[in-house]
Amino acid sequence: MATLRNDPYLRCNFLVDIGTGVPISCHEVVLPRGVVDVVAYRNGNDKAEQARQIPGLHHTENVVLKRGVNGSLDLAKWYRATTEGGSDFRNVSVTLLDETGVAVLGWKVFRAFPAAYGFEPLDATSSDPVVEILELACDGFELE
């Protein structure tokens, strides 16, 4: 699906599917970041007094979904199911769209589940919408 072009794509047009097959509205998505731990290693018979750095375990940081509260309880119910001992793992997808609405890049997040759920602070001096936040732990991701 990745489509190459000279100008970078804008980050304001995307779809999010939390594994239900129906896109949900989100105004911000913090995409996952893959991280490889760096391990200092030195053989016992190495002449060098400095350890070499080698790759260790790989892990994926959490995905964060933010959206304006709109009366839908789908994110809250998914989180609640996890807190009650459920294991509702889902494959989540985020699809970037170009200016015409055509899909140009996608992220697939594997075995995601709610790790945190909450809201941005309420503020009587602001006219901004109330924002719901769902943080997802996952086993990995890939680009398509």
Coordinates of all heavy atoms in Angstrom, one line a residue, residues 26-111:
C26 N -10.7 9.5 15.7 CA -9.6 9.9 16.6 C -9.0 11.1 16.1 O -8.9 11.3 14.9 CB -8.5 8.8 16.7 SG -9.0 7.3 17.5
H27 N -8.7 12.1 17.0 CA -8.1 13.3 16.5 C -6.5 13.2 16.6 O -5.8 14.0 16.1 CB -8.6 14.5 17.2 CG -8.2 14.7 18.6 ND1 -8.9 14.3 19.6 CD2 -7.1 15.3 19.1 CE1 -8.3 14.6 20.7 NE2 -7.2 15.2 20.5
E28 N -6.0 12.2 17.4 CA -4.6 12.1 17.5 C -4.3 10.6 17.8 O -4.9 9.9 18.5 CB -4.1 12.9 18.7 CG -2.6 12.9 18.8 CD -2.0 13.8 19.9 OE1 -2.8 14.7 20.4 OE2 -0.9 13.6 20.4
V29 N -3.2 10.1 17.1 CA -2.7 8.8 17.3 C -1.2 8.9 17.5 O -0.5 9.4 16.7 CB -3.0 7.9 16.1 CG1 -2.4 6.5 16.3 CG2 -4.5 7.7 15.9
V30 N -0.7 8.4 18.6 CA 0.7 8.3 18.8 C 1.1 6.9 18.4 O 0.7 5.9 19.0 CB 1.1 8.5 20.3 CG1 2.6 8.3 20.5 CG2 0.7 9.9 20.8
L31 N 1.8 6.8 17.3 CA 2.1 5.5 16.7 C 3.2 4.8 17.5 O 4.0 5.4 18.2 CB 2.6 5.7 15.2 CG 1.5 6.2 14.3 CD1 2.1 6.8 13.0 CD2 0.5 5.1 14.0
P32 N 3.2 3.4 17.3 CA 4.2 2.7 18.1 C 5.6 2.9 17.6 O 5.8 3.3 16.5 CB 3.8 1.2 17.8 CG 3.1 1.3 16.5 CD 2.4 2.6 16.5
R33 N 6.6 2.7 18.5 CA 8.0 2.8 18.2 C 8.6 1.6 18.6 O 8.5 1.1 19.8 CB 8.5 4.0 19.0 CG 9.9 4.5 18.6 CD 10.2 5.8 19.3 NE 10.7 5.5 20.6 CZ 11.9 5.9 21.1 NH1 12.6 6.7 20.4 NH2 12.2 5.6 22.3
G34 N 9.4 0.9 17.7 CA 10.1 -0.3 18.0 C 11.5 0.1 18.6 O 12.1 1.0 18.1
V35 N 11.9 -0.6 19.6 CA 13.1 -0.3 20.3 C 13.9 -1.6 20.5 O 13.3 -2.6 20.9 CB 12.9 0.4 21.7 CG1 14.2 0.7 22.4 CG2 12.1 1.7 21.5
V36 N 15.2 -1.5 20.2 CA 16.1 -2.7 20.4 C 17.0 -2.3 21.6 O 17.7 -1.3 21.5 CB 16.9 -3.0 19.2 CG1 17.9 -4.2 19.5 CG2 16.0 -3.4 18.0
D37 N 17.0 -3.1 22.7 CA 17.9 -2.8 23.8 C 19.3 -3.0 23.3 O 19.6 -3.9 22.5 CB 17.6 -3.8 24.9 CG 16.2 -3.6 25.6 OD1 15.8 -2.4 25.5 OD2 15.7 -4.5 26.1
V38 N 20.2 -2.2 23.9 CA 21.6 -2.3 23.6 C 22.3 -3.0 24.7 O 22.2 -2.6 25.9 CB 22.3 -0.9 23.3 CG1 23.8 -1.0 23.1 CG2 21.6 -0.3 22.1
V39 N 23.1 -4.1 24.5 CA 23.7 -4.9 25.5 C 25.2 -4.7 25.4 O 25.8 -4.8 24.3 CB 23.4 -6.4 25.4 CG1 24.1 -7.2 26.4 CG2 21.8 -6.5 25.5
A40 N 25.9 -4.3 26.5 CA 27.3 -4.3 26.5 C 27.9 -5.7 26.7 O 27.5 -6.3 27.7 CB 27.8 -3.3 27.6
Y41 N 28.8 -6.1 25.9 CA 29.3 -7.5 25.9 C 30.8 -7.5 25.7 O 31.3 -6.8 24.8 CB 28.6 -8.4 24.9 CG 29.1 -9.8 24.9 CD1 28.6 -10.7 25.9 CD2 30.0 -10.2 24.0 CE1 29.1 -12.0 25.9 CE2 30.5 -11.5 24.0 CZ 30.0 -12.4 25.0 OH 30.5 -13.7 25.0
R42 N 31.4 -8.3 26.5 CA 32.9 -8.5 26.3 C 33.3 -9.9 26.6 O 32.9 -10.5 27.6 CB 33.6 -7.6 27.3 CG 35.1 -7.6 27.1 CD 35.8 -6.7 28.1 NE 37.3 -6.9 28.1 CZ 37.9 -7.8 28.8 NH1 37.3 -8.6 29.6 NH2 39.2 -7.9 28.7
N43 N 33.9 -10.6 25.6 CA 34.4 -11.9 25.9 C 35.5 -11.9 26.9 O 36.2 -10.9 27.1 CB 35.1 -12.5 24.6 CG 34.0 -13.0 23.6 OD1 33.0 -13.4 24.0 ND2 34.4 -13.0 22.3
G44 N 35.6 -12.9 27.7 CA 36.6 -13.0 28.8 C 38.0 -12.9 28.3 O 38.9 -12.5 29.0
N45 N 38.3 -13.3 27.0 CA 39.6 -13.3 26.5 C 39.9 -12.2 25.5 O 40.9 -12.1 24.8 CB 39.9 -14.7 25.8 CG 39.0 -14.9 24.6 OD1 38.1 -14.2 24.4 ND2 39.3 -16.0 23.9
D46 N 39.0 -11.2 25.5 CA 39.2 -10.0 24.6 C 40.4 -9.2 25.1 O 40.5 -9.0 26.3 CB 37.9 -9.1 24.6 CG 36.9 -9.5 23.5 OD1 37.2 -10.4 22.7 OD2 35.8 -9.0 23.6
K47 N 41.2 -8.7 24.2 CA 42.3 -7.9 24.5 C 41.8 -6.5 24.8 O 42.4 -5.8 25.6 CB 43.3 -7.8 23.4 CG 43.9 -9.2 23.0 CD 45.2 -9.5 23.6 CE 45.7 -10.7 23.1 NZ 46.1 -11.7 24.1
A48 N 40.8 -6.0 24.2 CA 40.2 -4.7 24.4 C 39.6 -4.6 25.8 O 39.0 -5.5 26.3 CB 39.2 -4.4 23.4
E49 N 39.8 -3.4 26.4 CA 39.2 -3.2 27.7 C 37.8 -2.6 27.7 O 37.3 -2.3 28.7 CB 40.2 -2.3 28.5 CG 41.5 -3.0 28.8 CD 42.4 -2.1 29.7 OE1 41.9 -1.1 30.3 OE2 43.6 -2.3 29.7
Q50 N 37.3 -2.5 26.5 CA 36.0 -1.9 26.3 C 35.1 -2.9 25.8 O 35.4 -3.7 24.9 CB 36.1 -0.7 25.3 CG 34.8 0.0 25.0 CD 35.0 1.2 24.1 OE1 36.1 1.7 23.9 NE2 33.9 1.6 23.5
A51 N 33.8 -2.9 26.3 CA 32.8 -3.8 25.9 C 32.3 -3.4 24.5 O 32.3 -2.3 24.1 CB 31.7 -3.9 26.9
R52 N 31.9 -4.4 23.7 CA 31.2 -4.2 22.4 C 29.7 -4.0 22.7 O 29.2 -4.6 23.7 CB 31.4 -5.3 21.5 CG 32.8 -5.4 20.9 CD 32.8 -6.5 19.9 NE 33.7 -7.5 20.5 CZ 33.9 -8.7 20.0 NH1 33.2 -9.1 19.0 NH2 34.7 -9.5 20.6
Q53 N 29.1 -3.3 21.9 CA 27.6 -3.1 22.0 C 27.0 -4.0 21.0 O 27.3 -4.0 19.8 CB 27.2 -1.7 21.8 CG 27.7 -0.8 22.9 CD 27.1 0.6 22.8 OE1 26.2 0.8 22.0 NE2 27.6 1.5 23.7
I54 N 26.0 -4.9 21.4 CA 25.3 -5.8 20.5 C 23.8 -5.6 20.8 O 23.4 -5.2 21.8 CB 25.7 -7.2 20.8 CG1 25.5 -7.7 22.2 CG2 27.2 -7.4 20.4 CD1 25.7 -9.2 22.5
P55 N 23.0 -6.0 19.8 CA 21.6 -5.8 19.9 C 21.0 -6.9 20.9 O 21.5 -8.0 20.9 CB 21.0 -6.1 18.5 CG 22.1 -6.7 17.8 CD 23.4 -6.4 18.4
G56 N 20.1 -6.4 21.8 CA 19.4 -7.3 22.7 C 18.0 -7.6 22.4 O 17.7 -7.7 21.2
L57 N 17.1 -7.6 23.3 CA 15.7 -7.8 23.1 C 15.1 -6.6 22.4 O 15.4 -5.5 22.6 CB 15.0 -8.1 24.4 CG 15.4 -9.4 25.2 CD1 14.7 -9.4 26.5 CD2 15.2 -10.6 24.4
H58 N 14.0 -6.9 21.6 CA 13.2 -5.9 21.0 C 11.9 -5.8 21.7 O 11.4 -6.8 22.2 CB 13.0 -6.4 19.5 CG 12.0 -5.6 18.8 ND1 10.6 -5.9 18.8 CD2 12.0 -4.4 18.1 CE1 9.9 -5.0 18.1 NE2 10.8 -4.1 17.7
H59 N 11.4 -4.6 21.8 CA 10.1 -4.3 22.3 C 9.4 -3.2 21.6 O 10.1 -2.4 21.0 CB 10.1 -4.1 23.9 CG 10.8 -2.9 24.3 ND1 12.2 -2.9 24.5 CD2 10.4 -1.7 24.6 CE1 12.6 -1.7 24.9 NE2 11.5 -0.9 25.0
T60 N 8.1 -3.1 21.7 CA 7.4 -2.1 21.0 C 6.7 -1.2 22.1 O 6.1 -1.7 23.0 CB 6.3 -2.7 20.1 OG1 6.9 -3.6 19.2 CG2 5.5 -1.7 19.4
E61 N 6.8 0.1 21.9 CA 6.2 1.0 22.9 C 4.7 1.1 22.6 O 4.2 0.7 21.5 CB 6.9 2.4 22.7 CG 8.3 2.4 23.2 CD 9.0 3.7 23.1 OE1 8.4 4.6 22.5 OE2 10.1 3.8 23.6
N62 N 4.0 1.6 23.5 CA 2.5 1.7 23.5 C 2.0 2.6 22.4 O 2.6 3.6 22.0 CB 1.9 2.0 24.8 CG 2.1 1.0 25.8 OD1 2.6 -0.1 25.6 ND2 1.8 1.3 27.1
V63 N 0.8 2.3 21.9 CA 0.1 3.2 21.0 C -0.9 4.0 21.8 O -1.5 3.5 22.8 CB -0.7 2.3 20.0 CG1 -1.6 3.1 19.1 CG2 0.2 1.4 19.2
V64 N -1.1 5.3 21.5 CA -2.0 6.1 22.2 C -3.0 6.7 21.3 O -2.7 7.3 20.2 CB -1.3 7.3 22.9 CG1 -2.3 8.1 23.7 CG2 -0.2 6.7 23.9
L65 N -4.3 6.4 21.6 CA -5.4 7.0 20.8 C -6.1 8.1 21.6 O -6.4 7.9 22.8 CB -6.4 5.9 20.5 CG -5.9 4.6 19.8 CD1 -7.1 3.6 19.7 CD2 -5.3 4.9 18.5
K66 N -6.4 9.2 20.9 CA -7.1 10.3 21.6 C -8.2 10.7 20.7 O -8.1 10.8 19.5 CB -6.2 11.5 21.8 CG -5.0 11.3 22.8 CD -4.2 12.5 23.0 CE -3.1 12.3 23.9 NZ -2.4 13.5 24.2
R67 N -9.4 10.9 21.3 CA -10.5 11.4 20.6 C -11.5 12.2 21.5 O -11.5 12.0 22.7 CB -11.3 10.2 19.9 CG -12.0 9.3 20.9 CD -12.8 8.3 20.2 NE -13.6 7.5 21.1 CZ -14.4 6.5 20.8 NH1 -14.5 6.2 19.5 NH2 -15.1 5.9 21.6
G68 N -12.3 13.0 20.8 CA -13.3 13.8 21.6 C -14.4 12.9 22.0 O -14.8 12.0 21.3
V69 N -14.8 13.1 23.2 CA -15.9 12.3 23.8 C -17.2 12.5 23.0 O -17.6 13.7 22.8 CB -16.1 12.6 25.3 CG1 -17.4 12.0 25.8 CG2 -14.9 12.3 26.1
N70 N -17.7 11.5 22.5 CA -18.9 11.6 21.6 C -20.1 10.7 22.0 O -21.0 10.5 21.2 CB -18.5 11.3 20.1 CG -18.0 9.9 20.0 OD1 -18.0 9.1 20.9 ND2 -17.5 9.6 18.8
G71 N -20.0 10.1 23.2 CA -21.1 9.3 23.7 C -20.8 7.8 23.4 O -21.5 7.0 24.0
S72 N -19.9 7.4 22.6 CA -19.6 6.0 22.3 C -18.8 5.5 23.5 O -17.9 6.1 24.0 CB -18.8 5.9 21.0 OG -18.3 4.6 20.9
L73 N -19.2 4.3 23.9 CA -18.5 3.6 25.0 C -17.6 2.5 24.6 O -17.2 1.7 25.4 CB -19.5 3.1 26.0 CG -20.4 4.2 26.6 CD1 -21.5 3.5 27.5 CD2 -19.6 5.2 27.4
D74 N -17.3 2.3 23.3 CA -16.5 1.2 22.8 C -15.1 1.1 23.4 O -14.7 0.0 23.8 CB -16.5 1.2 21.3 CG -16.0 2.4 20.6 OD1 -15.8 3.4 21.4 OD2 -15.7 2.5 19.4
L75 N -14.4 2.2 23.6 CA -13.1 2.2 24.2 C -13.2 1.9 25.6 O -12.4 1.1 26.2 CB -12.4 3.5 23.9 CG -12.1 3.9 22.5 CD1 -11.3 5.2 22.5 CD2 -11.5 2.9 21.7
A76 N -14.1 2.4 26.3 CA -14.3 2.2 27.8 C -14.7 0.7 28.0 O -14.2 0.1 29.0 CB -15.4 3.1 28.3
K77 N -15.5 0.2 27.2 CA -15.9 -1.3 27.3 C -14.7 -2.2 27.1 O -14.6 -3.2 27.8 CB -17.1 -1.6 26.4 CG -18.4 -1.0 26.8 CD -19.5 -1.3 25.9 CE -20.8 -0.7 26.3 NZ -21.9 -1.0 25.4
W78 N -13.9 -1.9 26.1 CA -12.7 -2.7 25.8 C -11.8 -2.7 27.0 O -11.3 -3.7 27.5 CB -12.1 -2.2 24.5 CG -10.9 -3.1 24.0 CD1 -10.7 -4.4 24.4 CD2 -9.9 -2.8 23.1 NE1 -9.6 -4.9 23.7 CE2 -9.1 -3.9 22.9 CE3 -9.7 -1.6 22.4 CZ2 -8.0 -3.9 22.1 CZ3 -8.6 -1.6 21.5 CH2 -7.8 -2.7 21.4
Y79 N -11.6 -1.5 27.6 CA -10.7 -1.3 28.7 C -11.3 -2.1 29.9 O -10.6 -2.8 30.6 CB -10.5 0.1 29.1 CG -9.7 0.3 30.4 CD1 -8.4 0.1 30.5 CD2 -10.4 0.7 31.5 CE1 -7.7 0.3 31.6 CE2 -9.7 0.9 32.7 CZ -8.4 0.6 32.8 OH -7.7 0.8 34.0
R80 N -12.6 -1.9 30.1 CA -13.3 -2.6 31.3 C -13.1 -4.1 31.2 O -12.9 -4.8 32.2 CB -14.7 -2.2 31.3 CG -15.6 -2.8 32.3 CD -15.4 -2.1 33.6 NE -16.3 -2.7 34.6 CZ -16.8 -2.0 35.6 NH1 -16.7 -0.7 35.6 NH2 -17.5 -2.7 36.5
A81 N -13.3 -4.6 30.0 CA -13.1 -6.1 29.8 C -11.7 -6.6 30.2 O -11.6 -7.6 30.8 CB -13.4 -6.5 28.3
T82 N -10.7 -5.7 29.9 CA -9.4 -6.1 30.3 C -9.2 -6.1 31.8 O -8.6 -6.9 32.4 CB -8.4 -5.1 29.6 OG1 -8.5 -5.2 28.2 CG2 -6.9 -5.5 30.0
T83 N -9.8 -5.1 32.5 CA -9.6 -5.0 33.9 C -10.4 -6.1 34.7 O -10.1 -6.4 35.8 CB -10.1 -3.6 34.4 OG1 -11.5 -3.5 34.2 CG2 -9.4 -2.5 33.8
E84 N -11.3 -6.7 34.0 CA -12.1 -7.7 34.6 C -11.6 -9.1 34.3 O -12.2 -10.1 34.4 CB -13.6 -7.6 34.2 CG -14.3 -6.4 34.7 CD -15.7 -6.2 34.2 OE1 -16.0 -6.8 33.2 OE2 -16.4 -5.3 34.8
G85 N -10.3 -9.1 33.8 CA -9.6 -10.4 33.6 C -9.8 -11.0 32.2 O -9.4 -12.1 31.9
G86 N -10.4 -10.2 31.3 CA -10.5 -10.7 29.9 C -9.2 -10.6 29.2 O -8.3 -9.9 29.6
S87 N -9.2 -11.3 28.1 CA -8.0 -11.2 27.2 C -8.4 -10.9 25.8 O -8.3 -11.8 24.9 CB -7.1 -12.5 27.3 OG -7.9 -13.6 27.0
D88 N -9.0 -9.7 25.6 CA -9.5 -9.3 24.3 C -8.4 -8.7 23.5 O -8.3 -7.5 23.4 CB -10.7 -8.4 24.5 CG -11.4 -8.0 23.2 OD1 -11.0 -8.6 22.1 OD2 -12.3 -7.2 23.2
F89 N -7.5 -9.5 23.0 CA -6.4 -9.0 22.1 C -6.9 -8.7 20.8 O -7.7 -9.5 20.2 CB -5.3 -10.0 22.0 CG -4.6 -10.3 23.3 CD1 -4.9 -11.5 24.0 CD2 -3.6 -9.5 23.8 CE1 -4.2 -11.8 25.2 CE2 -3.0 -9.8 25.0 CZ -3.3 -10.9 25.7
R90 N -6.5 -7.6 20.2 CA -7.0 -7.2 18.8 C -5.8 -6.7 18.0 O -4.9 -6.2 18.5 CB -8.0 -6.1 18.9 CG -9.3 -6.4 19.7 CD -10.2 -5.3 19.7 NE -11.4 -5.5 20.6 CZ -12.3 -4.7 20.8 NH1 -12.3 -3.5 20.2 NH2 -13.3 -4.9 21.6
N91 N -6.0 -6.9 16.7 CA -5.1 -6.3 15.7 C -5.7 -5.0 15.3 O -6.8 -4.9 14.8 CB -4.9 -7.2 14.5 CG -4.1 -8.5 14.9 OD1 -3.3 -8.5 15.8 ND2 -4.4 -9.5 14.2
V92 N -4.9 -3.9 15.6 CA -5.4 -2.5 15.3 C -4.7 -2.0 14.1 O -3.5 -2.3 13.9 CB -5.1 -1.6 16.6 CG1 -5.4 -0.2 16.3 CG2 -5.8 -2.1 17.8
S93 N -5.4 -1.3 13.3 CA -4.7 -0.7 12.1 C -5.0 0.8 12.0 O -6.1 1.3 12.4 CB -5.3 -1.4 10.8 OG -6.6 -1.1 10.6
V94 N -4.0 1.5 11.6 CA -4.0 2.9 11.3 C -3.7 3.1 9.9 O -2.6 2.6 9.4 CB -3.1 3.7 12.2 CG1 -3.2 5.2 11.9 CG2 -3.4 3.4 13.7
T95 N -4.5 3.8 9.1 CA -4.3 4.0 7.7 C -4.2 5.5 7.4 O -5.1 6.2 7.7 CB -5.5 3.4 6.9 OG1 -5.6 2.0 7.2 CG2 -5.2 3.5 5.4
L96 N -3.1 5.9 6.8 CA -2.8 7.2 6.4 C -3.5 7.4 5.0 O -3.3 6.6 4.1 CB -1.3 7.6 6.3 CG -1.0 9.0 5.9 CD1 -1.4 10.0 7.0 CD2 0.5 9.1 5.7
L97 N -4.2 8.6 4.8 CA -4.9 8.9 3.6 C -4.2 10.1 3.0 O -3.8 11.0 3.7 CB -6.3 9.1 3.8 CG -7.1 8.1 4.6 CD1 -8.5 8.5 4.8 CD2 -7.1 6.8 3.8
D98 N -4.2 10.2 1.6 CA -3.7 11.4 1.0 C -4.8 12.4 0.9 O -5.9 12.2 1.5 CB -3.1 11.1 -0.4 CG -4.2 10.7 -1.4 OD1 -5.4 10.7 -1.1 OD2 -3.8 10.3 -2.5
E99 N -4.6 13.5 0.3 CA -5.5 14.6 0.2 C -6.8 14.3 -0.4 O -7.9 14.9 -0.2 CB -4.9 15.9 -0.5 CG -3.7 16.4 0.2 CD -2.4 15.7 0.0 OE1 -2.4 14.7 -0.8 OE2 -1.4 16.0 0.6
T100 N -6.8 13.3 -1.3 CA -8.0 12.8 -2.0 C -8.8 11.7 -1.3 O -9.8 11.2 -1.7 CB -7.7 12.4 -3.4 OG1 -6.9 11.2 -3.4 CG2 -7.0 13.5 -4.2
G101 N -8.2 11.2 -0.1 CA -8.9 10.2 0.6 C -8.4 8.8 0.2 O -9.0 7.8 0.7
V102 N -7.3 8.7 -0.6 CA -6.8 7.3 -1.0 C -5.8 6.9 0.1 O -4.9 7.6 0.5 CB -6.2 7.4 -2.4 CG1 -5.5 6.1 -2.7 CG2 -7.2 7.9 -3.4
A103 N -5.9 5.6 0.5 CA -5.0 5.0 1.4 C -3.6 5.0 0.8 O -3.4 4.5 -0.3 CB -5.4 3.6 1.8
V104 N -2.6 5.5 1.6 CA -1.2 5.5 1.0 C -0.2 4.8 1.9 O 0.9 4.4 1.5 CB -0.7 7.0 0.8 CG1 -1.5 7.6 -0.3 CG2 -0.8 7.8 2.0
L105 N -0.5 4.6 3.2 CA 0.4 3.9 4.1 C -0.4 3.4 5.3 O -1.4 4.0 5.7 CB 1.5 4.9 4.6 CG 2.6 4.4 5.5 CD1 3.4 3.3 4.7 CD2 3.5 5.5 6.0
G106 N 0.0 2.2 5.8 CA -0.7 1.7 6.9 C 0.2 1.1 8.0 O 1.3 0.6 7.7
W107 N -0.3 1.1 9.2 CA 0.4 0.5 10.3 C -0.5 -0.6 10.9 O -1.6 -0.3 11.2 CB 0.7 1.5 11.4 CG 1.7 2.5 11.1 CD1 3.0 2.5 11.4 CD2 1.5 3.8 10.4 NE1 3.6 3.7 10.9 CE2 2.7 4.5 10.3 CE3 0.3 4.4 9.8 CZ2 2.8 5.7 9.6 CZ3 0.5 5.6 9.2 CH2 1.7 6.2 9.1
K108 N 0.0 -1.8 11.0 CA -0.7 -2.9 11.6 C -0.1 -3.2 13.0 O 1.1 -3.4 13.0 CB -0.7 -4.1 10.8 CG -1.7 -4.1 9.6 CD -1.9 -5.4 9.1 CE -3.0 -5.3 8.1 NZ -3.8 -6.5 7.9
V109 N -0.9 -3.1 14.0 CA -0.4 -3.3 15.4 C -1.0 -4.6 15.9 O -2.2 -4.9 15.8 CB -0.9 -2.2 16.3 CG1 -0.4 -2.4 17.7 CG2 -0.4 -0.8 15.8
F110 N -0.1 -5.5 16.3 CA -0.5 -6.9 16.6 C -0.7 -7.1 18.1 O 0.0 -6.6 19.0 CB 0.6 -7.9 16.2 CG 0.9 -7.7 14.7 CD1 2.1 -7.2 14.3 CD2 0.0 -8.1 13.7 CE1 2.4 -7.0 12.9 CE2 0.3 -8.0 12.4 CZ 1.5 -7.4 12.0
R111 N -1.8 -7.9 18.4 CA -2.2 -8.3 19.8 C -2.2 -7.1 20.7 O -1.5 -7.2 21.8 CB -1.2 -9.4 20.3 CG -1.5 -10.8 19.6 CD -0.5 -11.8 20.1 NE -0.4 -11.9 21.6 CZ -1.2 -12.5 22.4 NH1 -2.2 -13.2 22.0 NH2 -0.9 -12.5 23.7

